Short mmCIF file of all heavy atoms in Angstrom, two decimals:
data_model
loop_
_atom_site.label_atom_id
_atom_site.label_comp_id
_atom_site.label_asym_id
_atom_site.label_seq_id
_atom_site.Cartn_x
_atom_site.Cartn_y
_atom_site.Cartn_z
N PRO S 709 25.95 -68.07 -45.57
CA PRO S 709 24.97 -67.64 -44.57
C PRO S 709 24.27 -68.84 -43.95
O PRO S 709 24.12 -69.88 -44.58
CB PRO S 709 23.99 -66.78 -45.39
CG PRO S 709 24.78 -66.33 -46.58
CD PRO S 709 25.73 -67.46 -46.87
N THR S 710 23.80 -68.69 -42.74
CA THR S 710 23.19 -69.81 -42.04
C THR S 710 21.73 -70.01 -42.39
O THR S 710 21.13 -71.00 -42.00
CB THR S 710 23.30 -69.58 -40.52
OG1 THR S 710 22.67 -68.33 -40.19
CG2 THR S 710 24.76 -69.54 -40.10
N SER S 711 21.12 -69.10 -43.11
CA SER S 711 19.72 -69.27 -43.51
C SER S 711 19.54 -68.83 -44.93
O SER S 711 20.27 -67.99 -45.43
CB SER S 711 18.80 -68.47 -42.58
OG SER S 711 19.11 -67.09 -42.68
N SER S 712 18.54 -69.41 -45.58
CA SER S 712 18.26 -69.04 -46.96
C SER S 712 17.73 -67.62 -47.01
O SER S 712 16.87 -67.24 -46.22
CB SER S 712 17.23 -70.00 -47.56
OG SER S 712 16.94 -69.64 -48.87
N PRO S 713 18.22 -66.77 -47.95
CA PRO S 713 17.81 -65.38 -47.97
C PRO S 713 16.46 -65.18 -48.63
O PRO S 713 15.94 -66.04 -49.30
CB PRO S 713 18.91 -64.73 -48.81
CG PRO S 713 19.32 -65.83 -49.74
CD PRO S 713 19.20 -67.10 -48.94
N THR S 714 15.96 -63.97 -48.48
CA THR S 714 14.74 -63.51 -49.12
C THR S 714 13.61 -64.51 -49.02
O THR S 714 12.90 -64.78 -49.98
CB THR S 714 14.99 -63.15 -50.60
OG1 THR S 714 15.44 -64.33 -51.30
CG2 THR S 714 16.02 -62.07 -50.75
N ALA S 715 13.46 -65.13 -47.84
CA ALA S 715 12.38 -66.10 -47.66
C ALA S 715 11.04 -65.38 -47.66
O ALA S 715 10.87 -64.37 -47.01
CB ALA S 715 12.57 -66.85 -46.35
N VAL S 716 10.10 -65.88 -48.43
CA VAL S 716 8.76 -65.33 -48.51
C VAL S 716 7.78 -66.46 -48.29
O VAL S 716 7.82 -67.47 -48.98
CB VAL S 716 8.51 -64.66 -49.87
CG1 VAL S 716 7.10 -64.12 -49.95
CG2 VAL S 716 9.51 -63.54 -50.11
N SER S 717 6.90 -66.31 -47.32
CA SER S 717 6.01 -67.41 -46.95
C SER S 717 5.11 -67.84 -48.09
O SER S 717 4.68 -68.98 -48.15
CB SER S 717 5.17 -66.99 -45.75
OG SER S 717 4.35 -65.87 -46.06
N GLY S 718 4.79 -66.93 -49.00
CA GLY S 718 3.87 -67.26 -50.08
C GLY S 718 4.52 -67.82 -51.32
O GLY S 718 3.85 -67.99 -52.33
N GLY S 719 5.81 -68.10 -51.29
CA GLY S 719 6.47 -68.68 -52.45
C GLY S 719 6.78 -67.64 -53.51
O GLY S 719 6.62 -66.44 -53.32
N SER S 720 7.25 -68.12 -54.67
CA SER S 720 7.64 -67.22 -55.76
C SER S 720 6.41 -66.49 -56.30
O SER S 720 5.31 -67.01 -56.31
CB SER S 720 8.34 -68.01 -56.86
OG SER S 720 7.45 -68.93 -57.46
N LYS S 721 6.63 -65.30 -56.78
CA LYS S 721 5.54 -64.47 -57.30
C LYS S 721 6.01 -63.66 -58.51
O LYS S 721 7.16 -63.25 -58.58
CB LYS S 721 5.04 -63.48 -56.23
CG LYS S 721 4.38 -64.13 -55.02
CD LYS S 721 3.00 -64.67 -55.34
CE LYS S 721 2.32 -65.19 -54.08
NZ LYS S 721 2.91 -66.45 -53.60
N GLN S 722 5.07 -63.41 -59.41
CA GLN S 722 5.30 -62.46 -60.49
C GLN S 722 4.23 -61.37 -60.40
O GLN S 722 3.04 -61.66 -60.49
CB GLN S 722 5.21 -63.16 -61.86
CG GLN S 722 6.37 -64.08 -62.19
CD GLN S 722 7.66 -63.31 -62.42
OE1 GLN S 722 7.65 -62.16 -62.86
NE2 GLN S 722 8.78 -63.95 -62.12
N PHE S 723 4.68 -60.15 -60.17
CA PHE S 723 3.75 -59.02 -60.13
C PHE S 723 4.04 -58.07 -61.28
O PHE S 723 5.19 -57.97 -61.75
CB PHE S 723 3.87 -58.27 -58.80
CG PHE S 723 3.28 -59.01 -57.63
CD1 PHE S 723 4.10 -59.56 -56.65
CD2 PHE S 723 1.91 -59.17 -57.51
CE1 PHE S 723 3.57 -60.23 -55.56
CE2 PHE S 723 1.36 -59.84 -56.43
CZ PHE S 723 2.19 -60.39 -55.46
N GLY S 724 3.01 -57.36 -61.73
CA GLY S 724 3.21 -56.44 -62.84
C GLY S 724 1.99 -55.61 -63.13
O GLY S 724 1.18 -55.32 -62.24
N VAL S 725 1.84 -55.23 -64.39
CA VAL S 725 0.77 -54.33 -64.81
C VAL S 725 0.14 -54.82 -66.11
O VAL S 725 0.73 -55.60 -66.85
CB VAL S 725 1.31 -52.89 -65.03
CG1 VAL S 725 1.82 -52.30 -63.73
CG2 VAL S 725 2.39 -52.86 -66.12
N ASN S 726 -1.06 -54.34 -66.37
CA ASN S 726 -1.68 -54.47 -67.68
C ASN S 726 -1.19 -53.34 -68.58
O ASN S 726 -1.25 -52.17 -68.18
CB ASN S 726 -3.20 -54.38 -67.56
CG ASN S 726 -3.83 -55.64 -67.03
OD1 ASN S 726 -4.36 -56.44 -67.78
ND2 ASN S 726 -3.79 -55.82 -65.70
#
Side-chain angles (χ1 to χ4, degrees):
T710 58
S711 61
S712 179
T714 61
V716 178
S717 61
S720 65
K721 294 287 185 288
Q722 288 291 330
F723 287 109
V725 296
N726 283 260

